[in-house]
């Protein structure tokens, strides 16, 4: 993104829940892997690509997105974003214009 492009804060119109990995004891000495809500935030979702690859006779589609957030310093690998029933796995994130105002996340939509 060019430094001279101004991001309109009003474009952050999607309400998302940031989720982090969480382990819950299963009562038998092990744990169950899941997710817990960390924060609710406003974001902008931009579809990037959709790719279909034939696998074992099925044709799963991989959909990627760019998701804009206000700057966050607590993002880490393994986190995801939720919008209702839609889930977005965070694959990478960065400060797009190095001003410390926003975080741009590269995400893949995953099927629950």
């Amino acid at each position: 993104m060019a430094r001279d492009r101004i991001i309109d804060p009003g474009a952050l119109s999607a309400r998302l829940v940031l989720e982090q990995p969480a382990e819950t004891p299963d009562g038998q000495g092990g744990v169950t892997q899941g997710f817990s809500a960390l924060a609710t935030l406003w974001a902008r979702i931009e579809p990037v690509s959709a790719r279909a690859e034939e696998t074992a006779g099925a044709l799963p589609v991989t959909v990627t997105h760019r998701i804009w957030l206000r700057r966050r310093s607590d993002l880490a690998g393994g986190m995801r974003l939720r919008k209702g029933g839609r889930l977005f796995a965070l694959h990478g994130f960065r400060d797009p214009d190095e001003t410390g105002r926003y975080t741009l996340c590269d995400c893949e939509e995953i099927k629950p």
Side-chain angles (χ1 to χ4, degrees), residues 32-79:
T32 301
Q33 298 288 335
F35 285 86
S36 63
L38 178 63
T40 301
L41 42 89
W42 291 102
R44 176 179 175 189
I45 302 172
E46 296 177 355
V48 175
S49 69
R51 182 180 70 243
E53 294 180 7
E54 187 170 357
T55 305
L59 196 61
V61 176
T62 301
V63 182
T64 60
H65 301 272
R66 283 188 201 103
I67 299 182
W68 294 82
L69 313 170
R70 290 195 186 275
R71 184 184 179 282
R72 293 197 66 94
S73 60
D74 59 348
L75 296 178
M79 289 182 161

Side-chain angles (χ1 to χ4, degrees), residues 1 20 26-27 34-35 39-40 65 70 74 86-87 90 107:
M1 163 173 251
Q20 63 186 350
D26 66 4
F35 285 86
T40 301
H65 301 272
R70 290 195 186 275
D74 59 348
R86 297 173 69 192
L87 297 172
L90 271 68
C107 300

